[in-house]
Amino acid sequence: MTEHNTRHKVVVIGGGYAGTLAANRLRQRDDVDVTLVNPRPEFVERIRLHQFVARTGEATVDYGTLLGEGVRLVVDSATRIDGAARAVRLASGRTLDYDHVIYAVGSTGGTPSVPGAAEFAFDLAELESARRLRARLEELPLDAPVTVVGGGLTGVETAAELAERGRRVTLVCGRSLAPYLSAGGRRYVARWLARHGVAVLGNAAVSEVRPDAVVLADGGVRASALTIWTAGFGVPGLAAASGLRTDALGRLLTDETLTSLDDDRIVAAGDSAAPSGRPLRMSGYAAGPLGAQAADTVLSRIAGTEPATIDVAFTGACVSLGRRAGIRQLARKDDTAVNVFVGGRLGAVIKEVTCRFVVAKRIRREAREPGSMGWPKGGPRPGEPASAARVVTSP
């Protein structure tokens, strides 16, 4: 019901998994005007970018098939949130007035400090960089040496996808291969990579990237016609540019309801949120529940009720190993892996079903039935909230 004909303007910044779901969920009230700001006219399935690069799948979806009726899409980039004026400043020079903001700008590839990495390495954290990587890959002969830096889940999936396509791949793992997985899961991944010709360098680090080689910390030099950097993530600097407090990485610092410590009209979701200085793992898995809870917090503030605190339980992670194998790693509610996993063809099927589920059963269902999404709950939030001494204040 609309009270006194008042309309509530909510601007969602970022049209990824968290932001798109939040925009749809806000439509539980008919007096809320929802504007989604995104720099691209299409939704990017980041969990499929390694497929896009290898030409084994696509990674974009038309927003027209995802957004519920009444959600306005603005293709632009936010440059500043002006809390005093309650306005979002856009790169085009436009301004969007708001009553509430959902800050869902997501994450980006980390900025490597290794000499030569910024100039010569490619990343696939975003669609634009993935397009550049795909174009460069297509210029290379099949037997050209490719190096993937980073032994996390993104690095593993990228190396596996390229190896299955016949590429010569070296995976430089830093401390260990797939550290999130259980010991058994890591052994399974290592065996698959070995069978497909991937040279895995464990406990190795890259100290320099050259146009045609990588230099390792031990002084070794390995030929590399193409170097792909998957080690680490960063976040956009919008919160800092808006004078809002962030954690050391730049995520918006919030309380346990995902509300900014500086402005209760700004609520964060997804990879760019740091509740109590203790962010959840950056993942598509967490993005959905955090997007839903951010929308619920805004709706509670509009209704004048107390918002709920974060309540998310993890169940594990899925990793693809090319198109015909994968691994479904199980985990405790606190996101620590247990020694149980499903591998092989069934693991691949579970991964594919999971990818489809995120779009079809979460985002599209929220578009049809706002407020319908549920998720596993009861996960612990260990430790005490971060003290002011641990907070990095944006300039």
Side-chain angles (χ1 to χ4, degrees):
M1 295 293 293
T2 302
E3 299 177 6
H4 307 299
N5 297 316
T6 298
R7 306 294 301 176
H8 303 276
K9 299 177 182 178
V10 182
V11 176
V12 181
I13 305 175
Y17 296 105
T20 304
L21 192 141
N24 284 338
R25 194 175 181 90
L26 287 166
R27 296 164 50 254
Q28 292 176 76
R29 290 181 64 116
D30 61 10
D31 58 350
V32 175
D33 296 326
V34 183
T35 300
L36 178 64
V37 179
N38 194 66
R40 308 175 192 88
E42 53 198 355
F43 176 86
V44 177
E45 289 191 83
R46 285 186 64 180
I47 55 180
R48 292 192 186 275
L49 283 176
H50 62 289
Q51 292 180 247
F52 173 79
V53 165
R55 283 194 173 274
T56 59
E58 294 302 318
T60 56
V61 181
D62 182 357
Y63 273 117
T65 71
L66 296 181
L67 296 177
E69 184 178 354
V71 176
R72 180 169 67 120
L73 175 66
V74 173
V75 181
D76 211 330
S77 296
T79 58
R80 184 167 177 263
I81 304 171
D82 187 340
R86 290 190 198 168
V88 176
R89 314 293 181 186
L90 303 179
S92 64
R94 297 175 61 188
T95 298
L96 298 175
D97 296 332
Y98 70 81
D99 295 304
H100 300 273
V101 164
I102 291 183
Y103 184 85
V105 298
S107 57
T108 62
T111 302
S113 59
V114 172
E119 295 85 355
F120 305 122
F122 292 76
D123 74 80
L124 71 165
E126 298 183 75
L127 179 62
E128 291 76 15
S129 56
R131 282 174 173 158
R132 291 191 293 271
L133 172 55
R134 177 161 130 164
R136 175 59 181 146
L137 193 64
E138 291 174 347
E139 296 173 352
L140 298 177
L142 199 60
D143 62 351
V146 175
T147 302
V148 179
V149 181
L153 303 188
T154 302
V156 167
E157 289 193 322
T158 303
E161 205 75 29
L162 296 178
E164 192 176 70
R165 300 286 284 176
R167 292 283 176 183
R168 287 176 52 201
V169 181
T170 296
L171 179 60
V172 182
C173 290
R175 288 186 294 273
S176 62
L177 173 68
Y180 175 82
L181 302 181
S182 64
R186 291 194 296 274
R187 287 192 295 270
Y188 176 83
V189 170
R191 287 195 297 269
W192 189 98
L193 293 173
R195 287 199 306 272
H196 289 79
V198 178
V200 177
L201 306 183
N203 294 310
V206 172
S207 61
E208 182 186 355
V209 178
R210 298 174 181 172
D212 57 356
V214 294
V215 181
L216 302 179
D218 63 6
V221 179
R222 295 182 68 97
S224 181
L226 173 63
T227 300
I228 304 172
W229 200 274
T230 69
F233 285 93
V235 295
L238 178 60
S242 304
L244 301 169
R245 279 182 286 177
T246 67
D247 70 359
L249 191 63
R251 290 169 287 215
L252 182 65
L253 196 67
T254 75
D255 64 14
E256 289 292 291
T257 72
L258 298 174
T259 303
S260 166
L261 298 187
D262 301 302
D263 189 335
D264 64 6
R265 291 180 178 270
I266 300 174
V267 178
D271 289 352
S272 54
S276 304
R278 296 172 288 126
L280 282 70
R281 172 166 56 92
M282 288 183 171
S283 61
Y285 178 92
L290 291 178
Q293 294 207 212
D296 291 348
T297 291
V298 169
L299 294 174
S300 292
R301 297 203 182 281
I302 291 173
T305 58
E306 187 66 25
T309 59
I310 298 171
D311 190 0
V312 179
F314 283 86
T315 63
C318 294
V319 184
S320 63
L321 297 171
R323 295 296 88 212
R324 295 185 292 275
I327 179 170
R328 170 63 166 110
Q329 173 67 61
L330 300 185
R332 299 182 182 88
K333 291 182 177 181
D334 66 356
D335 204 27
T336 57
V338 299
N339 199 28
V340 179
F341 68 91
V342 178
R345 182 63 183 170
L346 182 55
V349 170
I350 294 172
K351 171 64 187 291
E352 180 60 26
V353 169
T354 300
C355 291
R356 294 181 183 180
F357 173 85
V358 170
V359 173
K361 298 299 184 181
R362 281 188 166 177
I363 296 174
R364 286 195 175 118
R365 187 179 178 189
E366 279 292 323
R368 297 191 305 269
E369 305 172 45
S372 61
M373 179 184 153
W375 61 91
K377 298 180 180 179
R381 295 281 294 147
E384 295 299 321
S387 68
R390 295 172 58 196
V391 174
V392 177
T393 304
S394 304

